[in-house]
Amino acid sequence: MSSPASSPRELTVGMGAGGLATSDMVLNIGPQHPATHGVLRLRITLDGERITKCEPIVGYMHRGAEKLFEVRDYRQILVLANRHDWLSAFSSEIGVALAVEKMLGMEVPERATWTRTLLSELNRVLNHLMFLGSYPLELGAITPMFYVFREREELQGVMEEIAGGRLHYMFNRVGGLRDDIPAGWLDRAAAAVSLVRSRMPEIESFIVGNPILNARTKGVGVVSREMVEQYGITGPIARASGVDVDLRRDDPYLAYGELFAPGGPGRVITRSEGDSLARLEVLLDQTHVSLDLADACIEVLRSLPQGPVNVKLPKVLKVPEGDGYVATENPLGFNGYYIVSRGEKTPWRLKLRSASFNNMACLGEVMRGQLLADMVAILGSMFFVVGDIDK
């Protein structure tokens, strides 16, 4: 990770604690891809090997998602909503659909609600598996990546069968889902979930208790509870710092009210250490919870009678004048859509609250005082998607 040619390193001379002349070095990490997680730039000031200042510089991937939303009707917004966080595509679609349905006062068929919940949890497992493989890779361990992609393919297969897409599903519609569940799909989904669960111990064997991984992550990049509150950090990063918050339980949507009820399979995973290792452990445990939730959804869907999975909409869909906000617990944290309508077929204003943007905002404070050698370990443990930062 060298400095770009257009941004050479800068040296400033000062006096060290021992009276010796020292020089601070300013390094530009990125934004060339694949030097870091996508086109993210970090401007780092070093005193020897110690980071004294880290400035995340975002916007190299900015596509103006919010303004693109505002010139498309409510059906078309779903096409773009699954692209700012391409690892949480289905969950991001859900947020828009729920926000519009709330403003319309629309009741969605029960079968659609449970199917949406199932697909959201399968999408969550896909997201977490990607980070469970890529994070050890950044620390020098290549093997877990091969294993997680094997498991991802099992789940991608059932997601592709029902939605037709592998990354951008576009299966949600305002009022429900595009199509009904294919014949025999629930059996294939249950088999895929069971297979992934049976193989999780193999992935854990590379991660849990690994002395090299522990040495690189334990006590490194600590995010305090106060920092979580100050920066609005959510999701696995917040829970790894002991902040017990999860919208699926605290502000239920879809079928999560039943799943997270006492005695249900839903549970919130937390750690208290707040370091890079704790964030990885939360992600690993959450994967097991999502597999349990997926199984519960499959069993409920088996018991439901045949019926509609969507609501018939008018040819031109207009949302009543007013405003509304809906936030969902995306795999990386809170994902919210604030919509202001003037009674037209397009939103007058649409504001996206993405998880990665807030989670990354604390990076400057977390990096301060850390060794340069630990920079990648800290950066990777923040589990972000650049499109979700730049929007």
Side-chain angles (χ1 to χ4, degrees), residues 86-113:
W86 44 84
L87 291 179
S88 311
F90 190 87
S91 301
S92 299
E93 292 177 18
I94 284 286
V96 174
L98 291 176
V100 176
E101 289 160 6
K102 180 181 178 182
M103 296 181 72
L104 288 168
M106 182 180 292
E107 290 290 332
V108 176
E110 187 179 13
R111 292 183 73 242
T113 297

Side-chain angles (χ1 to χ4, degrees), residues 78 90 93-94 97 116 169-174 176-178:
L78 291 168
F90 190 87
E93 292 177 18
I94 284 286
R116 281 175 164 182
Y169 303 109
M170 263 309 296
F171 193 56
N172 278 290
R173 293 293 185 271
V174 174
L177 299 169
R178 187 191 68 206

Side-chain angles (χ1 to χ4, degrees), residues 243-316:
V243 179
D244 186 5
V245 59
D246 192 314
L247 289 179
R248 294 174 296 174
R249 179 199 62 193
D250 303 332
D251 188 13
Y253 58 97
L254 296 179
Y256 288 118
E258 294 184 43
L259 293 170
F260 277 80
R267 59 190 189 279
V268 179
I269 303 298
T270 60
R271 291 289 188 278
S272 59
E273 296 83 1
D275 56 12
S276 299
L277 180 61
R279 292 191 280 274
L280 182 64
E281 290 175 345
V282 166
L283 218 63
L284 185 60
D285 288 349
Q286 282 186 176
T287 303
H288 288 283
V289 174
S290 290
L291 292 171
D292 292 341
L293 292 172
D295 270 339
C297 290
I298 290 171
E299 291 309 308
V300 171
L301 284 168
R302 289 188 197 276
S303 66
L304 290 178
Q306 291 297 313
V309 292
N310 50 44
V311 176
K312 188 174 182 180
L313 301 177
K315 187 173 182 180
V316 178

Side-chain angles (χ1 to χ4, degrees), residues 21-263:
T22 61
S23 59
D24 288 344
M25 179 183 295
V26 178
L27 291 178
N28 285 286
I29 310 298
Q32 69 271 23
H33 185 62
T36 58
H37 280 256
V39 284
L40 174 70
R41 177 185 172 196
L42 299 179
R43 192 172 186 270
I44 292 178
T45 304
L46 295 172
D47 180 8
E49 294 185 35
R50 191 75 61 178
I51 298 172
T52 59
K53 183 180 179 182
C54 173
E55 180 185 1
I57 301 174
V58 304
Y60 288 92
M61 197 177 174
H62 180 61
R63 292 163 293 177
E66 293 165 339
K67 291 304 171 186
L68 290 174
F69 290 159
E70 293 170 4
V71 295
R72 282 161 173 78
D73 67 40
Y74 291 100
R75 291 183 177 94
Q76 295 170 330
I77 291 173
L78 291 168
V79 179
L80 298 177
N82 61 29
R83 283 166 165 75
H84 61 85
D85 179 357
W86 44 84
L87 291 179
S88 311
F90 190 87
S91 301
S92 299
E93 292 177 18
I94 284 286
V96 174
L98 291 176
V100 176
E101 289 160 6
K102 180 181 178 182
M103 296 181 72
L104 288 168
M106 182 180 292
E107 290 290 332
V108 176
E110 187 179 13
R111 292 183 73 242
T113 297
W114 280 98
T115 306
R116 281 175 164 182
T117 309
L118 168 58
L119 295 175
S120 294
E121 290 308 311
L122 293 179
N123 191 193
R124 195 181 309 274
V125 175
L126 286 169
N127 175 288
H128 291 355
L129 284 174
M130 174 62 81
F131 286 112
L132 289 172
S134 64
Y135 186 50
L137 181 65
E138 292 167 346
L139 302 178
I142 190 173
T143 306
M145 196 66 163
F146 296 114
Y147 281 78
V148 300
F149 263 86
R150 180 186 65 176
E151 315 321 329
R152 277 174 55 87
E153 280 302 311
E154 298 294 337
L155 297 177
Q156 288 280 191
V158 295
M159 293 292 282
E160 185 177 4
E161 180 185 355
I162 194 171
R166 288 177 59 83
L167 197 62
H168 303 305
Y169 303 109
M170 263 309 296
F171 193 56
N172 278 290
R173 293 293 185 271
V174 174
L177 299 169
R178 187 191 68 206
D179 300 311
D180 202 348
I181 299 172
W185 183 84
L186 285 176
D187 292 334
R188 291 186 286 277
V193 169
S194 177
L195 185 59
V196 171
R197 181 185 283 106
S198 69
R199 290 174 172 175
M200 284 300 294
E202 290 183 295
I203 297 174
E204 293 169 352
S205 68
F206 296 112
I207 298 174
V208 178
N210 185 305
I212 297 175
L213 189 144
N214 286 351
R216 293 290 307 276
T217 58
K218 194 169 185 178
V220 174
V222 175
V223 176
S224 65
R225 288 180 62 95
E226 293 73 25
M227 211 180 296
V228 169
E229 296 169 359
Q230 290 168 357
Y231 288 93
I233 298 169
T234 56
I237 299 174
R239 292 191 284 273
S241 298
V243 179
D244 186 5
V245 59
D246 192 314
L247 289 179
R248 294 174 296 174
R249 179 199 62 193
D250 303 332
D251 188 13
Y253 58 97
L254 296 179
Y256 288 118
E258 294 184 43
L259 293 170
F260 277 80

